[in-house]
Amino acid sequence: MLVGAEPFAHEGSEDIGVLLCHGFTSTPQSMRAWAEHLAEAGLSVRCPLLPGHGTRWQDLNRTTWRDWYGAVEHALDELRGRCRTVFVFGLSMGGTLTLRLAEQHPDLAGIVLVNPSVMTLRKEAKLLPLISRVVPSLAAIAGDIAKPETVELAYSRLPLRGMASLQQLWGVVRADLASVRQPLLLLHSAVDHVVEPENSAIVLNEVSSEDVTEVVLDDSYHVATLDHDAPRIFGDSVEFVHRVHRERVGETV
């Protein structure tokens, strides 16, 4: 395992738990400051290292989206066994996994998405299933951060078989977006060189959630959790969690 890629876990409140899902080729390092902020707020937190990540890029080509989803679902089960109310937060592909969890687990209290991915406009993506059979990797997509001297711990190459599996996950998630009914906080960067703005627009247009908050991050690129707007993300997410939890507790009293 790469130094700094370790998973994060904190045993806090038995009322509120939060699962954090990192992005494709990335590690919990991109979520660690967020996780620590949630822990300091007294919440129970899990941020697993997804299979195939945090080691060598070749390992990611040996996994599929079902492996990544299995890891976050296992962490979710842990939190659900401990906490009364559970939320899931995700960045980029972590947002894709978060949406799938929301589709499969309607009892989730709410979700927070940062620059989630559900598609791409890149024309070459249509050829990915074929190209990935003969070309193992391309140049990396990691490290899209506006803040100077800030580094994302992620692979230096883009594993194409893994990327082809992510593409399959997009299709699965998009087909069921209407089944997402949980309260939703979606934060997306005004300038993102990895995930096109159409992704957030699709999510906002196709989920069935009635409690929806959209926030535009004007001073960050794709990895916004490590960027200038990170304090806004952290603060807004804690407020969101406490508000939704209060409303749920009020409903069940």
Side-chain angles (χ1 to χ4, degrees):
M1 182 189 301
L2 298 173
V3 176
E6 300 83 7
F8 182 95
H10 175 76
E11 306 300 343
S13 167
E14 293 184 0
D15 281 331
I16 304 174
V18 178
L19 167 62
L20 295 167
C21 306
H22 69 74
F24 186 68
T25 77
S26 191
T27 66
Q29 178 261 356
S30 64
M31 312 291 272
R32 188 166 300 276
W34 196 1
E36 291 172 348
H37 184 89
L38 297 170
E40 289 170 4
L43 310 182
S44 290
V45 185
R46 296 289 187 279
C47 184
L49 173 65
L50 301 181
H53 293 74
T55 51
R56 305 182 311 141
W57 66 260
Q58 292 89 342
D59 293 332
L60 190 43
N61 272 338
R62 300 186 181 99
T63 64
T64 72
W65 72 263
R66 290 176 179 82
D67 298 311
W68 317 328
Y69 182 75
V72 295
E73 191 170 45
H74 177 75
L76 175 63
D77 287 343
E78 279 190 8
L79 282 175
R80 292 167 80 190
R82 172 183 175 81
C83 301
R84 181 178 183 183
T85 307
V86 179
F87 296 80
V88 184
F89 299 177
L91 166 67
S92 193
M93 180 191 75
T96 322
L97 293 168
T98 297
L99 286 165
R100 189 57 182 163
L101 287 171
E103 293 169 355
Q104 296 290 297
H105 300 278
D107 59 315
L108 279 179
I111 60 175
V112 178
L113 307 175
V114 179
N115 295 323
S117 72
V118 293
M119 53 80 75
T120 183
L121 296 174
R122 294 178 177 86
K123 295 179 181 179
E124 60 270 24
K126 295 179 181 179
L127 301 174
L128 188 56
L130 293 175
I131 296 173
S132 64
R133 295 178 185 177
V134 293
V135 179
S137 70
L138 293 175
I141 58 172
D144 187 34
I145 303 171
K147 189 175 182 180
E149 299 180 5
T150 301
V151 178
E152 177 187 15
L153 181 61
Y155 289 145
S156 59
R157 302 291 297 176
L158 178 67
L160 293 190
R161 283 193 290 278
M163 188 67 207
S165 190
L166 172 55
Q167 194 174 54
Q168 292 175 350
L169 175 60
W170 289 341
V172 170
V173 168
R174 286 192 65 180
D176 286 344
L177 277 177
S179 67
V180 176
R181 301 182 181 277
Q182 293 90 343
L184 165 63
L185 170 61
L186 191 153
L187 308 101
H188 60 98
S189 300
V191 178
D192 187 330
H193 303 98
V194 178
V195 170
E196 303 95 336
E198 284 81 0
N199 284 269
S200 290
I202 288 169
V203 172
L204 291 169
N205 288 335
E206 297 186 12
V207 297
S208 299
S209 306
E210 295 182 0
D211 180 350
V212 176
T213 304
E214 177 186 8
V215 176
V216 178
L217 306 173
D218 292 318
D219 201 21
S220 299
Y221 294 158
H222 181 63
V223 193
T225 54
L226 293 176
D227 218 327
H228 295 293
D229 291 301
R232 172 76 185 273
I233 296 170
F234 302 169
D236 284 7
S237 66
V238 170
E239 291 178 10
F240 172 80
V241 161
H242 284 305
R243 174 179 66 79
V244 172
H245 177 67
R246 285 194 303 268
E247 292 171 358
R248 283 173 65 91
V249 170
E251 290 172 1
T252 57
V253 170

